[in-house]
Amino acid sequence: MQQLLQEIAQCTICKAHLLLGPRPVVSAHKKSKIVIIGQAPGTKVHASGIPWDDASGKQLRKWLGVNNKTFYDEAKFAIIPMGFCYPGKGKTGDLPPRPECAPKWHKPLFDELKNVELIILIGMYAQKYYLGEQAKGTLTETVANFHDYLPKFLPLP
C-alpha cells in the first residue's frame, strides 16, 4: 500500500490540464474499513494536502458523527476522491474531477483494501461511477433511496 500511495503522490498524468499543477490528495491504509469517495479536492485542500480540510469536510464529519482524530485515522477511513488533484475553476464552480484518476488508481487501491465494510459515495460523480445504471435519475433520488445500495454503498449528497 505504501508503494502505491507513493506512486499516486508522484502522479502527473493530467499535469497539462491543471492550472495549479498536480498535488494528488488521497489517504488510505490496508486496514481501512470505510472508504469515502468524493469529487476532487478544492483549493484549500490543494494548498494543505489534507483531504476534506475545508467547510465541506467539517460538515461531512458532522454527518458521520466523528471527530477529526477518528476521521483521519487511516485504519478506519480511506479517503479516495474521483479526481486526486484540484481540477480548476469553471463558470459555476470547480470543474469536474479529471477523468484519468479513477480508472487509473481506484482498482489498485481497492486491491489493497481487504477490510472494507462500507463505501460512502459523495456526490454525483462517485455515484454514477460506482452505481452505474443502479443510480436513480438524480442525485436527490439516489440519496433518498440509499437503502437500495446498502450494505456496500451509502450515497450522500
Side-chain angles (χ1 to χ4, degrees):
M1 175 67 83
Q2 284 308 112
Q3 181 180 345
L4 177 58
L5 292 172
Q6 288 173 353
E7 288 176 35
I8 293 170
Q10 296 170 5
C11 181
T12 59
I13 193 169
C14 61
K15 180 180 180 177
H17 303 283
L18 302 173
L19 184 63
L20 299 181
R23 183 171 190 183
V25 178
V26 60
S27 174
H29 188 281
K30 63 182 178 180
K31 293 182 181 179
S32 300
K33 294 185 181 294
I34 299 171
V35 177
I36 297 172
I37 301 176
Q39 183 169 311
T43 54
K44 186 172 181 187
V45 171
H46 176 85
S48 72
I50 301 169
W52 294 93
D53 182 30
D54 55 15
S56 64
K58 185 175 182 180
Q59 182 61 49
L60 177 59
R61 290 185 289 282
K62 186 176 176 181
W63 285 348
L64 297 175
V66 298
N67 60 26
N68 284 3
K69 183 179 178 185
T70 301
F71 185 79
Y72 290 111
D73 180 346
E74 295 173 343
K76 293 180 177 143
F77 288 95
I79 302 171
I80 304 171
M82 290 300 296
F84 288 64
C85 298
Y86 173 64
K89 199 76 162 160
K91 291 179 183 176
T92 60
D94 290 344
L95 291 171
R98 292 294 315 160
E100 300 89 346
C101 297
K104 173 135 180 91
W105 297 116
H106 281 210
K107 183 179 181 326
L109 282 162
F110 275 104
D111 287 347
E112 296 284 333
L113 295 167
K114 306 292 186 198
N115 297 310
V116 174
E117 296 176 11
L118 177 66
I119 302 170
I120 299 173
L121 301 171
I122 301 174
M124 178 183 66
Y125 296 103
Q127 291 166 17
K128 294 270 186 203
Y129 190 84
Y130 280 93
L131 300 178
E133 292 183 12
Q134 291 180 318
K136 306 297 182 203
T138 66
L139 175 102
T140 302
E141 288 178 280
T142 300
V143 172
N145 291 281
F146 69 92
H147 46 80
D148 292 349
Y149 310 105
L150 293 171
K152 183 174 182 178
F153 296 114
L154 174 62
L156 294 177

